[in-house]
Amino acid sequence: MAKKETNTKLEITICDIKGIDSINIESLIRVIRGQQVMLDSDLAMLYGVETKALNQAVKRNIKRFPEDFMFQLTQDEAVRLRSQFVTLNNDDALRSQIATLNEEELVLRSQIATSNKKDNPLRSQFVTSNGRGGNRYLPYAFTRNGIAMLSSVLRSDTAVEVNIRIMRAFTMIPQLVNHNTQIVQRIFNIEQHQIETDEKIGVILERIEGLSPKFLPEQVFPTGCIWDAWAYISDLVRSARQRIVLIDNFVDDRVLSMLTKRANGVSATIHTRYNEQFLTDLQKHNSQYPEIKFIQLSHRNHDRFLIIDDKVYLLGASLKDMGAGLCAITEMSIAPAVILGLLK
C-alpha cells in the first residue's frame, strides 16, 4: 500500500486583498542584523492566519528556510525592537518618515484578527502581545527570500498575491527608512552603553564608600595628631543634614572656619562663654556666611559636646585644641534633648 503523503501546506482561510491594500506594508519592514525583515506576527496578520499556525507550517518545511531566509530573535533583539518601536512612536518626525500604523490600519488589524471568530477564532500576535502577559515567545524574522518561500508553504492563490505586494513593498521602501531605523538603533545602543556605564560607576562608588573610613563610636587621637583630629571633626560637620550644636567653654575663629564646612540649610549653634573677640569674629562671619547662632552659657561646663543631627559626641578637648594633646571623641547613646535640657 502506498504511503499517504503528509500535507505540509497551510490553508489560508481569511485574507481580504482589498483590506491588505489599506495597510502600509512598508511600515512593517524592520532592520534586524543589518537585514530588511518582517516579523512572523505581522506576516500572519497579512495572511489572515494565527502566528502559531504560520510558524508550525514553516517548521514542517524547515529545510526550505535556511538561516538567511528566517531566524529567531534573541532576547536582547526582542527587547531592543520593542524599545525602538516606543522611540519611533514618540518622535513625530520619524513617525511620518517610517510610516507607523495609523488609526485605519489598527482598526483593520483588529477586524482581520477577529473576523469569523466563531468559525475560525484566529488571533494575530499583534493583538495577543497587547493583552495580558505580552509576548510569550521570541518572534521569528523572515528576510525577503524567506517571505518569497512562504508562498510555496501557504495553500492559497491569495497568499501568492499577498507575497507579490510584500515583494513590491520591499522594492519601494525608501532608503530613508533604513537610515532612520539604523540611527534609532545606534541611539538605543548609546543609551544602553550609558546605562551600563552608570551601573559600573555606581558599583565603583559603592566600593569606594566601603573602603572609606567610618565614624567609629570611639576615636582616640595621640598628642600631635592635630590634622587627623581636624579632618575627623570636619567629616562630622559635613555629615550633618539638619543641625550642628557645639557646647564648648572656649571657642575662637578656628571653630567658625570649621562650621563653614557644613552643607547648605544646616543650622549651627554655639553654646559658649562670653568673649569680646569671639563676638567680633562671629559678627564678621555672619555678615558673609550663613548665620551661626551664639548662646551664652549660664554656667561653666567641664565637658564639651558636639551634636550632629540626633547624635551626641563627647569631646575630650575643646574643638579648637583637638589633637594638640591626647584626647578622644566618643559617640554617646544619650538623646540631644537631655544635654540641651541640662544647659538651662
Side-chain angles (χ1 to χ4, degrees):
M1 180 181 293
K3 188 176 181 179
K4 185 177 181 180
E5 183 180 356
T6 302
N7 183 9
T8 61
K9 292 192 175 184
L10 175 65
E11 185 72 33
I12 301 295
T13 56
I14 303 174
C15 192
D16 186 353
I17 293 299
K18 293 183 179 180
I20 296 299
D21 286 339
S22 302
I23 295 180
N24 187 346
I25 298 178
E26 288 92 339
S27 67
L28 305 179
I29 300 176
R30 311 167 191 273
V31 176
I32 303 176
R33 301 183 189 177
Q35 303 181 75
Q36 291 183 348
V37 298
M38 292 184 68
L39 299 181
D40 50 5
S41 57
D42 292 327
L43 289 169
M45 180 271 299
L46 293 174
Y47 292 126
V49 300
E50 190 178 28
T51 304
K52 181 178 180 180
L54 184 143
N55 287 331
Q56 288 176 344
V58 170
K59 290 178 180 178
R60 290 195 297 267
N61 298 268
I62 195 63
K63 291 183 178 180
R64 300 186 184 185
F65 295 90
E67 190 173 355
D68 58 330
F69 280 38
M70 177 198 74
F71 58 86
Q72 189 172 26
L73 271 62
T74 65
Q75 186 67 39
D76 290 341
E77 287 172 336
V79 172
R80 185 180 299 113
L81 187 65
R82 287 193 292 269
S83 299
Q84 289 178 1
F85 182 80
V86 172
T87 303
L88 295 178
N89 281 275
N90 287 335
D91 191 309
D92 292 336
L94 289 179
R95 186 189 298 114
S96 61
Q97 292 174 353
I98 303 182
T100 51
L101 297 176
N102 55 33
E103 294 182 1
E104 294 179 357
E105 293 170 344
L106 292 176
V107 172
L108 182 60
R109 281 188 175 213
S110 178
Q111 291 175 346
I112 293 176
T114 58
S115 61
N116 297 329
K117 188 172 183 180
K118 293 182 179 179
D119 298 329
N120 189 13
L122 301 179
R123 300 175 67 197
S124 71
Q125 187 197 351
F126 179 86
V127 177
T128 304
S129 64
N130 285 278
R132 294 182 178 179
N135 291 334
R136 297 184 181 275
Y137 78 103
L138 295 174
Y140 288 91
F142 291 81
T143 65
R144 181 171 180 172
N145 290 334
I147 295 172
M149 183 61 70
L150 281 175
S151 61
S152 65
V153 175
L154 307 178
R155 180 193 292 270
S156 174
D157 293 336
T158 55
V160 176
E161 295 186 40
V162 172
N163 268 36
I164 291 174
R165 294 167 196 238
I166 294 176
M167 292 300 101
R168 287 174 178 168
F170 269 89
T171 302
M172 296 175 61
I173 185 170
Q175 289 297 319
L176 183 61
V177 173
N178 293 336
H179 294 328
N180 284 339
T181 304
Q182 292 170 4
I183 289 173
V184 171
Q185 185 170 354
R186 289 177 182 176
I187 292 175
F188 177 81
N189 290 337
I190 292 174
E191 292 177 346
Q192 287 296 103
H193 291 156
Q194 183 63 48
I195 293 174
E196 293 173 0
T197 300
D198 292 342
E199 290 176 350
K200 291 178 181 178
I201 292 175
V203 172
I204 292 173
L205 292 177
E206 288 180 1
R207 290 181 179 177
I208 291 175
E209 184 178 354
L211 295 174
S212 299
K214 303 297 182 181
F215 293 126
L216 300 177
E218 295 181 353
Q219 185 72 42
V220 179
F221 299 100
T223 301
C225 293
I226 298 174
W227 173 253
D228 290 344
W230 183 266
Y232 184 85
I233 295 295
S234 297
D235 288 340
L236 281 177
V237 169
R238 293 190 186 98
S239 71
R241 292 295 175 264
Q242 298 175 345
R243 65 174 177 175
I244 298 174
V245 179
L246 175 63
I247 304 169
D248 194 337
N249 286 314
F250 304 101
V251 295
D252 59 16
D253 57 327
R254 288 173 290 180
V255 175
L256 301 180
S257 297
M258 172 68 72
L259 294 180
T260 58
K261 302 176 186 294
R262 70 187 190 278
N264 293 332
V266 176
S267 66
T269 304
I270 298 177
H271 295 258
T272 189
R273 298 174 65 185
Y274 179 83
N275 181 290
E276 190 70 33
Q277 182 60 54
F278 172 71
L279 293 181
T280 301
D281 291 340
L282 181 63
Q283 183 180 6
K284 292 180 179 180
H285 171 276
N286 290 347
S287 66
Q288 181 176 350
Y289 294 101
E291 179 186 14
I292 296 177
K293 295 181 179 180
F294 161 70
I295 299 178
Q296 172 72 37
L297 284 173
S298 58
H299 49 80
R300 184 168 180 171
N301 298 278
H302 183 273
D303 290 327
R304 300 90 174 171
F305 300 91
L306 178 64
I307 297 175
I308 303 293
D309 297 333
D310 295 325
K311 293 182 179 180
V312 178
Y313 294 87
L314 175 63
L315 306 181
S318 291
L319 189 143
K320 63 182 179 60
D321 299 323
M322 292 294 295
L326 178 61
C327 62
I329 299 176
T330 305
E331 181 181 343
M332 304 181 67
S333 60
I334 194 171
V338 175
I339 298 294
L340 294 175
L342 295 173
L343 294 177
K344 299 177 182 180

